[in-house]
Amino acid sequence: VQGIYTCQSMEDVLTFMADPQVYAGCDWFSYPVHYDPAQRSGGHPRGTSTMCRRIELIRDYGLRTAEECIRTMTGGPAQSLGMKHRGLLKVGYAADICVLDYPNVCATSDYLYPFRKNKGISHVLVNGQIAVRNGACLGHYFGQVVCHEYQ
């Protein structure tokens, strides 16, 4: 069962996103198959475009720098959750890398077409394996469950 709640104003959302202690997250799950971007319904834009929409809002409303925006989706949450070897580009860390054109990142999915491709994302590596090449999802799942590690 899916639920869509529209109880926050855009002003509230932007206030939260501007706060340096607020990190990105999504309460969606992975789709078992890759759907045609032209497919109508059967999903939710949150499942395909959460991070792109976050980048758009932060960038377009001038809430943070590009570096700060990306940190709220990578190193910040990883550090806060005590995840070792994640969230930064460092030797010995998991190679989770997204190659993007920051000024042109755009979420195109909506409630009617939830599987539309985002714009501005060219390549994604998950654990060093290519999951998206030239903007096309390859249908591979290289992720793994990452548990909190006490330091």
Side-chain angles (χ1 to χ4, degrees):
V1 174
Q2 297 181 25
I4 300 170
Y5 306 97
T6 55
C7 58
Q8 289 181 335
S9 70
M10 182 55 77
E11 184 180 354
D12 289 343
V13 171
L14 296 175
T15 298
F16 297 143
M17 293 176 85
D19 189 304
Q21 296 303 310
V22 174
Y23 297 133
C26 180
D27 62 347
W28 203 249
F29 55 88
S30 177
Y31 291 107
V33 297
H34 291 274
Y35 294 94
D36 181 344
Q39 178 177 321
R40 291 175 62 136
S41 72
H44 191 291
R46 181 174 62 224
T48 54
S49 298
T50 295
M51 298 306 163
C52 288
R53 183 69 176 134
R54 180 180 178 83
I55 290 171
E56 281 183 284
L57 291 172
I58 288 174
R59 177 194 65 216
D60 296 352
Y61 283 92
L63 302 177
R64 312 175 68 89
T65 66
E67 294 80 7
E68 291 168 337
C69 175
I70 298 304
R71 186 180 182 285
T72 69
M73 298 184 287
T74 57
Q79 181 182 7
S80 179
L81 294 170
M83 301 166 86
K84 294 181 181 179
H85 310 293
R86 296 270 171 185
L88 299 173
L89 292 175
K90 289 179 73 173
V91 174
Y93 276 47
D96 297 333
I97 302 168
C98 179
V99 179
L100 56 91
D101 179 8
Y102 187 83
N104 294 304
V105 169
C106 177
T108 62
S109 66
D110 57 28
Y111 295 112
L112 186 57
Y113 295 98
F115 301 105
R116 284 185 179 152
K117 285 177 44 175
N118 298 304
K119 295 181 181 175
I121 306 292
S122 62
H123 294 75
V124 176
L125 281 78
V126 178
N127 285 317
Q129 303 293 316
I130 299 174
V132 173
R133 178 182 285 132
N134 297 321
C137 187
L138 303 179
H140 304 298
Y141 294 95
F142 300 114
Q144 65 189 64
V145 174
V146 179
C147 298
H148 176 79
E149 300 176 34
Y150 294 97
Q151 297 179 9

